[in-house]
Amino acid sequence: MWALPGGTVEWGETLRQTAVRELLEEAGVTEVKLSELRGVYSRPDRDPRFHAITVLVEATVAEPSQAPYNPAEILEARLFDPHEIPQELSHGNQDMLQQALQGSNIWE
């Protein structure tokens, strides 16, 4: 399934550094401009693996310029026009994306 790029903060990183690194690793994006914080998602049942806190950040990115770093986990990376976004996204990303596209800022 398709998903938004994401991952975990590594020791010593800022959230901004994490977002830029994850876009490179998971989407092959080397040109990124981070802007608005769109959501903080912390419901314990959101991820069955562990209690994760997801921070959704709006970004302007260039087309992917290289392959993702983890081909076993990521088969393809691409940009979608708003009307082409798949109806179902993994990891609960669909509601996060829809709320962000509607201009909502969420804190749960």
Side-chain angles (χ1 to χ4, degrees):
M1 294 179 70
W2 289 101
L4 299 173
T8 58
V9 177
E10 292 183 359
W11 187 258
E13 275 186 330
T14 66
L15 185 56
R16 181 173 294 277
Q17 290 168 326
T18 300
V20 170
R21 177 182 52 77
E22 289 292 349
L23 282 164
L24 175 62
E25 289 179 3
E26 295 199 355
V29 171
T30 56
E31 295 180 44
V32 58
K33 178 182 174 193
L34 302 174
S35 56
E36 300 293 323
L37 178 65
R38 289 294 175 194
V40 177
Y41 296 85
S42 61
R43 253 188 14 245
D45 63 342
R46 194 169 273 284
D47 190 325
R49 301 169 299 172
F50 46 79
H51 186 181
I53 297 173
T54 300
V55 179
L56 189 65
V57 178
E58 184 177 324
T60 302
V61 298
E63 286 278 342
S65 60
Q66 61 189 51
Y69 285 13
N70 186 349
E73 180 182 309
I74 301 160
L75 302 177
E76 183 180 356
R78 66 172 280 213
L79 300 177
F80 291 94
D81 284 328
H83 66 279
E84 295 178 318
I85 297 171
Q87 292 298 309
E88 192 174 341
L89 300 174
S90 70
H91 296 86
N93 288 174
Q94 189 63 40
D95 63 332
M96 294 178 198
L97 181 58
Q98 288 306 316
Q99 290 164 348
L101 291 172
Q102 294 168 0
S104 300
N105 290 330
I106 304 297
W107 180 308
E108 62 176 35

